[in-house]
């Protein structure tokens, strides 16, 4: 350490007139001390004020330049040294050195800049300001095809520098993308796939950039899918596979890349991983199984990639995914159900799957999760059933298979995601199915639970779906018994509130259900309609210029039905409806205008 103190003193005093030999001796002493105890030596260097001296030593002409850059790279491995390096003015001369031809100088300069940028906002700003990234990208471009060890080492350092420069910084990542770094890095990966260190740097750089939406468009124009799948097939170690997965996941969010990955054979790799890891209880294998099956589901979110893998329901991938549903692994059950939900995104696929017995598989899966079940599996299986129930021809088949009963077993669930999917599935099933709507609408336990969920203010989705199902039970059954059950369970006030929803479709569904209540069971519902201030709400909807034509039309139909009740008729008369309705006779929508004339006549007669 005495030698170190001497070296630091010499550097402070003699830089201006010292010979290169004496300088070199001092620098060697510093490097030796850093190798023995980096942190302590770095602290001494900082206190001595030598960092400022280094700025003047970073010249392309000097034979000591590489050593100075090496010392800066070493001290900048310590977080507390990065800002002092920036403050000492080291960034501009380091960036200037990127223009020199000497490979050792370039290597040490790249290291120094990369280390100063690591997790340092100031470091990155200074490099950005000095234009360092542009020069490094140009170097990578010109070295890209060279496979000699020295060039590969330099490429690894430069890729690492760009990674540290842009990590978790959207602005700098966008800057690199605009410089066209993505096609260069993809080309690099293809040429240097045998070089583990360089490949790793490329993958980390891709992982950084792939999160940005603008990068995905650029990646889609390269052969990244092919290169990553090729690389993936070679990997044996879990960590390396994990690294590639981390790039694949964000890229696979792009539909064009999804299809490219499917065409490059990624699905076969994923299925192989699932097969190898499904029965293992090793931590790495469990993690791989999850990642592979999750990625499989993600690939199915693209319409083209999904249809390619469905292959008319005869595809081997589709068949393999089906076999996951009865599996004993919760992860595979989940992925299988989510995959079915993704396959069930068009009528043709849904009809084919229902005709080929998929419903029974999903109901068996749900059965395994009724008591203390896995919430994510419940949610996924209900999602799949909901999607399958969309085509008209599937509804009756699914009802006769007992889907409604299977779904109702989850009525006790306290988990909002499960509640939400349960409601959606029942609503899809009863659409235009009068008998099923009546049967469910007379189920007091169901209706009471719906009324309870209509007040779930913390869960807007559950609240909205509960209201919509209440309305659907009335609209599709047109049954007095159903209306009576809903009145007795306190559901009327929720339907009236639903008429004021910000969503026109929900307003409309509520008004149609309320019109049926008024037409079929006005006496039973009269008191509740009054207490819920329905007449005032209808007056507001008709007076509001922003109300959609169908809302105005259905509000007037409902007014005509309500005046069959003496107490409600009094309310209508007290609120000057005639005036509002007569204005609507000149409405630009002909149906609204005609209904306004009819409503005006009815109101005039009643008054």
């Amino acid at each position: 350490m005495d030698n170190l103190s001497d070296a630091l003193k010499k550097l402070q005093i003699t830089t201006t007139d010292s010979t290169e030999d004496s300088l070199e001796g001092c620098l060697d002493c510093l490097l030796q001390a850093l190798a023995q105890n980096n942190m302590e030596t770095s602290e001494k260097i900082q206190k001595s004020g030598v960092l400022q001296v280094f700025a003047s030593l970073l010249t392309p002409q000097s034979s000591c330049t590489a050593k100075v850059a090496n010392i800066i790279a070493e001290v900048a491995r310590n977080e507390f040294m990065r800002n002092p390096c920036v403050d000492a003015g080291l960034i501009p001369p380091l960036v200037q050195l990127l223009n020199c031809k000497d490979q050792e100088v370039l290597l040490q300069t790249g290291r120094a800049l990369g280390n100063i940028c690591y997790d340092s906002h100031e470091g990155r700003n200074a490099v950005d300001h000095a234009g360092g990234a542009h020069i490094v990208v140009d170097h990578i471009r010109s070295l890209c095809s060279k496979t000699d060890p020295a060039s590969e080492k330099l490429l690894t350092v430069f890729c690492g520098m760009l990674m540290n420069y842009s990590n978790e910084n959207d602005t700098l990542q966008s800057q690199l993308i605009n410089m066209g770094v993505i096609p260069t890095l993809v080309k690099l990966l293809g040429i240097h796939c045998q070089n583990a260190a360089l490949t790793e740097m490329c993958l980390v750089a891709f992982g950084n950039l792939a999160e940005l939406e603008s990068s995905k468009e650029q990646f889609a124009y390269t052969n990244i899918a092919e290169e990553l799948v090729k690389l993936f097939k070679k990997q044996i170690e879990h960590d390396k596979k994990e690294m590639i997965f981390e790039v694949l996941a964000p890229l696979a969010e792009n539909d064009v890349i999804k299809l490219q990955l499917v065409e490059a054979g990624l699905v076969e790799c994923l299925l192989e991983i699932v097969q190898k890891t499904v029965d293992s209880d090793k931590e790495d294998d469990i993690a791989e199984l999850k990642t592979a099956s999750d990625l499989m589901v993600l690939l199915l979110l693209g319409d083209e990639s999904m249809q390619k893998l469905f292959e008319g329901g005869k595809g081997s991938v589709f068949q393999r995914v089906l076999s996951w549903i009865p599996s004993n692994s919760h992860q595979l059950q989940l992925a299988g159900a989510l995959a079915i939900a993704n396959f069930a995104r068009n009528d043709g696929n849904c009809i084919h799957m229902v005709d080929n017995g998929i419903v029974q598989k999903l109901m068996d899966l749900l059965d395994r999760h009724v008591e203390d079940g896995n919430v994510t599996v419940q949610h996924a299986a209900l999602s799949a059933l909901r999607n399958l129930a969309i085509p008209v021809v599937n509804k009756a088949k699914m009802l006769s298979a007992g889907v409604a009963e299977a779904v109702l077993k989850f009525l006790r669930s306290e988990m909002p995601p499960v509640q939400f999917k349960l409601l959606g599935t029942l609503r899809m099933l009863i659409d235009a199915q009068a008998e099923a709507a009546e049967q469910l609408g007379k189920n007091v336990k169901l209706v009471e639970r719906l009324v309870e969920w209509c007040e779930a203010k913390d869960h807007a989705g559950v609240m909205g779906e509960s209201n919509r199902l209440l309305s659907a039970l009335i609209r599709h059954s047109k049954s007095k018994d159903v209306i009576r059950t809903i009145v007795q369970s306190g559901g009327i006030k929720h339907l009236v509130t639903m008429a004021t929803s910000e969503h026109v479709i929900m307003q409309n569904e509520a008004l149609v259900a309320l019109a049926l209540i008024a037409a079929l069971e006005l006496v039973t519902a009269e008191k509740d309609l009054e207490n819920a201030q329905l007449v005032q709400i209808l007056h507001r909807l008709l007076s509001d210029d922003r109300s959609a034509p169908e809302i105005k039309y259905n509000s007037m139909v409902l007014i005509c039905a309500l005046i069959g009740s003496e107490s409600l008729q009094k309310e209508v008369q007290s609120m000057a409806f005639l005036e509002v309705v007569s204005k609507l006779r000149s409405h630009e929508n002909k149906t609204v205008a005609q209904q306004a004339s009819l409503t005006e006549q009815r109101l005039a007669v009643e008054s």
Side-chain angles (χ1 to χ4, degrees), residues 458-502:
D458 293 343
H459 303 286
V462 173
M463 194 163 84
E465 275 294 343
S466 302
N467 278 303
R468 293 189 78 185
L469 184 52
L470 265 187
S471 156
L473 291 169
I474 295 168
R475 288 182 294 111
H476 298 304
S477 70
K478 299 181 176 62
S479 153
K480 292 185 170 199
D481 288 340
V482 170
I483 293 169
R484 280 196 285 268
T485 306
I486 289 171
V487 172
Q488 281 153 16
S489 303
I492 295 297
K493 63 181 178 190
H494 297 299
L495 290 170
V496 173
T497 305
M498 183 181 167
T500 64
S501 164
E502 57 191 26

Side-chain angles (χ1 to χ4, degrees), residues 160 315 450:
L450 291 183

Side-chain angles (χ1 to χ4, degrees), residues 52 72 85 116 124 134 330 409 438 452 526 566 592:
Q52 280 80 353
I72 296 167
C85 284
I116 292 170
R124 290 169 184 175
H134 215 295
H330 281 182
K409 289 177 187 172
E438 181 162 13
E452 183 191 327
E526 184 179 52
E566 199 177 323
V592 172

Side-chain angles (χ1 to χ4, degrees), residues 231-279:
L231 191 64
F232 191 80
K233 285 175 179 172
K234 291 180 193 165
Q235 303 310 318
I236 299 154
E237 291 170 48
H238 168 76
D239 291 351
K240 293 280 162 57
K241 286 183 193 169
E242 202 60 39
M243 210 169 201
I244 300 172
F245 272 141
E246 280 171 17
V247 181
L248 287 169
L251 287 179
E253 287 168 10
N254 177 284
D255 283 359
V256 177
I257 300 174
K258 278 187 185 80
L259 189 60
Q260 290 171 354
L261 289 169
V262 168
E263 286 170 345
L266 178 62
V267 171
E268 289 70 17
C269 296
L270 299 177
L271 290 172
E272 199 179 312
I273 287 176
V274 168
Q275 203 171 344
K276 280 182 186 168
T277 55
V278 66
D279 296 320

Side-chain angles (χ1 to χ4, degrees), residues 176-423:
L176 293 180
I177 291 163
N178 293 336
M179 286 177 194
V181 78
I182 286 172
T184 306
L185 290 176
V186 174
K187 188 178 167 191
L188 199 67
L189 184 69
I191 294 170
H192 301 272
C193 56
Q194 303 303 326
N195 184 311
L198 186 46
T199 299
E200 208 164 295
M201 281 300 178
C202 280
L203 289 173
V204 179
F206 289 148
N208 269 353
L209 299 170
E211 298 292 342
L212 281 190
E213 212 44 54
S214 57
S215 79
K216 288 168 196 166
E217 289 158 25
Q218 279 210 20
F219 275 118
Y221 284 107
T222 70
N223 62 338
I224 184 76
E226 203 182 309
E227 294 296 354
L228 287 174
V229 173
K230 205 193 302 174
L231 191 64
F232 191 80
K233 285 175 179 172
K234 291 180 193 165
Q235 303 310 318
I236 299 154
E237 291 170 48
H238 168 76
D239 291 351
K240 293 280 162 57
K241 286 183 193 169
E242 202 60 39
M243 210 169 201
I244 300 172
F245 272 141
E246 280 171 17
V247 181
L248 287 169
L251 287 179
E253 287 168 10
N254 177 284
D255 283 359
V256 177
I257 300 174
K258 278 187 185 80
L259 189 60
Q260 290 171 354
L261 289 169
V262 168
E263 286 170 345
L266 178 62
V267 171
E268 289 70 17
C269 296
L270 299 177
L271 290 172
E272 199 179 312
I273 287 176
V274 168
Q275 203 171 344
K276 280 182 186 168
T277 55
V278 66
D279 296 320
S280 170
D281 50 11
K282 281 191 205 157
E283 212 173 301
D284 283 356
D285 287 347
I286 293 166
E288 254 179 59
L289 175 73
K290 177 173 170 28
T291 311
S293 51
D294 284 350
L295 190 49
M296 184 77 200
V297 172
L298 183 56
L299 291 176
L300 292 172
L301 277 171
D303 288 339
E304 281 187 78
S305 51
M306 177 272 288
Q307 213 51 46
K308 191 176 178 69
L309 295 171
F310 189 66
E311 288 183 67
K314 296 184 174 55
S316 61
V317 173
F318 173 64
Q319 297 302 330
R320 288 277 285 281
V321 167
L322 279 190
S323 72
W324 293 357
I325 293 173
S327 149
N328 287 322
S329 153
H330 281 182
Q331 175 56 36
L332 275 197
Q333 293 169 4
L334 169 65
L338 287 172
I340 298 304
N342 286 345
F343 279 125
R345 287 211 315 280
N346 64 52
D347 283 6
N349 291 6
C350 289
I351 292 163
H352 181 280
M353 285 193 276
V354 169
D355 288 347
N356 283 273
I358 189 68
V359 170
Q360 193 55 53
K361 281 188 169 69
L362 290 166
M363 289 201 302
D364 291 346
L365 176 60
L366 277 175
D367 251 359
R368 294 166 70 180
H369 289 276
V370 174
E371 298 300 327
D372 304 320
N374 182 301
V375 172
T376 52
V377 175
Q378 292 171 356
H379 180 261
L382 289 167
S383 295
L385 287 171
R386 181 200 175 279
N387 288 2
L388 290 168
I390 292 171
V392 177
V393 294
N394 281 358
K395 297 179 196 293
K397 291 175 190 171
M398 290 175 72
L399 285 163
S400 60
V403 172
E405 292 76 9
V407 169
L408 285 171
K409 289 177 187 172
F410 294 89
L411 210 51
R412 294 194 305 263
S413 173
E414 293 302 330
M415 304 306 291
V418 174
Q419 296 166 352
F420 180 72
K421 286 297 174 186
L422 172 154
L423 293 163

